[in-house]
């Protein structure tokens, strides 16, 4: 979805979202429309299906409750991990409104005897499905091979990537699920603290 108050941008988005076809194409199935249309730009097929729209509308009705639950989970994580010197919790600035679609915990690797990959493996052993968001573009094969990037070309991005773990956070998590994640993280930290 794109929201804008700029009429030119909105018109451009409408055209580009349906193969670059002129706006008259939208009317071709109505009484005032015509079968004739023109492709005026190399566009895309970004119009959604009716099924996807129906699911989106159903989700929108639940959006506030889902957000509120993710925020509750994020607060539980913050409370559990803030006092742990081996972890850095996500920051929400004053006046901020974090979506909490991800909970990106960062490890202070200089205080641990394991690296992030081993930490992830330990979570997996405890049935905690964690991930990593996001792998910096410059270390992916395409960018390495096409542009010759090396990890140390963007040292901050690469360093943060090496210590980031995305913990489970979704509105259907029970409090017991959240406690399981917290216990697993703290257990791993206790076992691998320097």
């Amino acid at each position: 979805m794109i929201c804008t108050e700029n009429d030119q941008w909105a018109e451009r988005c409408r055209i580009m979202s349906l193969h670059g076809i002129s706006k008259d194409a939208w009317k071709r199935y109505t009484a005032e429309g015509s079968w004739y249309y023109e492709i005026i730009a190399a566009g895309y097929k970004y119009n959604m299906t009716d099924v996807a729209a129906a699911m989106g509308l159903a989700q929108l009705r639940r959006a506030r409750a889902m957000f509120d639950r993710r925020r509750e989970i994020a607060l539980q994580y913050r409370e559990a991990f803030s006092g742990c010197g081996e972890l850095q919790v996500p920051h929400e600035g004053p006046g901020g409104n974090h979506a909490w679609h991800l909970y990106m915990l960062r490890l202070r690797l200089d205080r641990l005897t394991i690296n992030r990959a081993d930490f992830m493996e330990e979570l997996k052993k405890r049935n905690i499905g964690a991930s990593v968001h996001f792998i910096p573009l410059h270390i992916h094969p395409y960018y390495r091979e096409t542009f010759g990037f090396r990890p140390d070309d963007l040292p901050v991005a690469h360093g943060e990537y090496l210590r980031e773990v995305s913990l489970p956070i979704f509105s259907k998590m029970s409090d017991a699920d959240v406690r399981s994640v917290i216990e697993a993280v703290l257990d791993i930290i206790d076992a691998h603290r320097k």
Side-chain angles (χ1 to χ4, degrees), residues 4 10 16 19 26 44 65 82 86 110 125 183 187 189:
T4 181
M16 297 305 288
H19 309 293
W26 290 100
Y44 309 93
S82 287
E86 292 77 16
D110 59 324
K125 288 178 188 174
E183 289 169 6
D187 182 52
I189 294 298

Side-chain angles (χ1 to χ4, degrees), residues 6 29 40 53 89 95 105 111 113 130-131 134 169 172 176 180 187:
N6 183 308
Y29 298 109
I40 58 176
V89 298
L105 185 67
R111 300 177 184 189
T113 61
S131 190
F134 295 86
I169 186 166
K172 295 284 186 183
S180 292
D187 182 52

Side-chain angles (χ1 to χ4, degrees), residues 153-172:
D153 285 341
L154 298 167
V156 174
H158 190 254
E160 292 304 306
Y161 157 69
L162 292 175
R163 64 191 202 103
E164 189 270 323
V165 176
S166 295
L167 296 181
I169 186 166
F170 53 95
S171 60
K172 295 284 186 183

Side-chain angles (χ1 to χ4, degrees), residues 14-157:
R14 282 186 201 99
I15 290 169
M16 297 305 288
S17 71
L18 188 59
H19 309 293
I21 295 175
S22 64
K23 65 181 176 182
D24 293 336
W26 290 100
K27 295 187 210 171
R28 67 182 167 191
Y29 298 109
T30 67
E32 65 268 6
S34 168
W35 60 267
Y36 183 77
Y37 62 90
E38 293 180 325
I39 295 178
I40 58 176
Y44 309 93
K45 181 161 176 52
Y46 283 165
N47 58 314
M48 74 168 62
T49 65
D50 290 348
V51 172
M55 289 189 302
L57 289 172
Q59 288 288 84
L60 281 173
R61 284 192 284 279
R62 298 179 25 226
R64 174 45 73 178
M66 293 166 64
F67 167 76
D68 289 343
R69 178 60 182 150
R70 287 192 314 273
R71 177 170 282 243
E72 288 171 12
I73 295 166
L75 289 173
Q76 289 180 55
Y77 284 161
R78 176 179 288 282
E79 288 173 15
F81 303 141
S82 287
C84 184
E86 292 77 16
L87 300 173
Q88 182 181 349
V89 298
H91 175 71
E92 183 175 30
N97 194 15
H98 200 299
W100 296 116
H101 73 291
L102 295 173
Y103 191 88
M104 296 172 63
L105 185 67
R106 288 184 280 176
L107 306 174
R108 289 192 168 114
L109 296 170
D110 59 324
R111 300 177 184 189
L112 295 168
T113 61
I114 59 173
N115 61 25
R116 193 266 318 278
D118 294 335
F119 187 90
M120 297 285 291
E121 196 56 38
E122 289 296 322
L123 285 173
K124 190 175 185 179
K125 288 178 188 174
R126 291 164 173 81
N127 290 327
I128 305 298
S131 190
V132 173
H133 294 90
F134 295 86
I135 301 171
L137 288 179
H138 76 288
I139 65 173
H140 283 283
Y142 173 80
Y143 294 92
R144 278 194 330 259
E145 294 163 12
T146 304
F147 302 107
F149 284 124
R150 296 177 327 248
D152 60 346
D153 285 341
L154 298 167
V156 174

